[in-house]
Amino acid sequence: MKHVILIVLILGASFVLQAQEKELTRKEKKAKIEAEKKEKVKQLISDKTWRFNADRMLPSNGPSKTLVTDYRVDLLSDKIESYLPFFGRAYKAEYGSSNSPLDFKGEIDSYNIQDWKKGGWIVNFNVKNKSDFMQFTFTIAFSGSATLSVNSTDRAHISYQGEITEIAKDKKEK
C-alpha cells in the first residue's frame, strides 16, 4: 500500500511540474510573439514604408465616429497617400469642392522619429496639400496600435485611432 501511495504522489508531482513547464512555455511564446511584433513595427517605421489603417475618428468638437470603410494613410519613403475623412471646422475651404481635405497625395517634409516614454515611438512630419500646410503626428505603441493627430493651417484639429501594418508588395513597387 505504501508503494501505491508513493507512486501516486510521484505521478501527481510530475503532472504538476509538466503543467508548470507548459505555462512557462505559453508565457515564453507570448513574449516571443510580442518581441517579433515590436521588431516588425520598428522596422516599418525606420524604413518609412507603412500603412496606418484608421478605425476611429475623433473630431475636435463633436462625438467620435467609428470608421467602417477602408480609410488609411500610406507612407512610401518620402511620399504620403492620405485617404481620410474630415469632420470639423474649416477656416478656409476650396470653393465647390466635395472631397475631403485629407484625401490627397503629397511629399513628406521633416520626417522625425522619437522614442515614446510610455513604450513605442512618435513619428512627426509635415505635408503641404495645395495651399494647406499640415502636421501629422503618429503615436505608435510596440503592438502596432497608433493614434494620428493632424494639425492644419486651414482646418480644426482632428485625430484618428488605428493600427500600423505593412503595405502590400505591389504597392511598394509603384
Side-chain angles (χ1 to χ4, degrees), residues 24-25 38 42 45-46 77-78 82 87-88 100 102 105-106 114 120 129 144 164 166 168:
L24 291 174
T25 306
K38 176 183 174 182
K42 184 178 181 180
I45 292 168
S46 64
S77 189
D78 60 345
S82 176
F87 287 94
S100 167
L102 294 174
K105 295 179 182 180
Q114 300 172 338
N129 177 20
I164 300 297
E166 187 175 10

Side-chain angles (χ1 to χ4, degrees), residues 23-33:
E23 187 64 34
L24 291 174
T25 306
R26 286 185 197 145
K27 288 179 183 177
E28 290 170 355
K29 285 180 183 178
K30 184 177 178 183
K32 181 180 177 186
I33 290 169

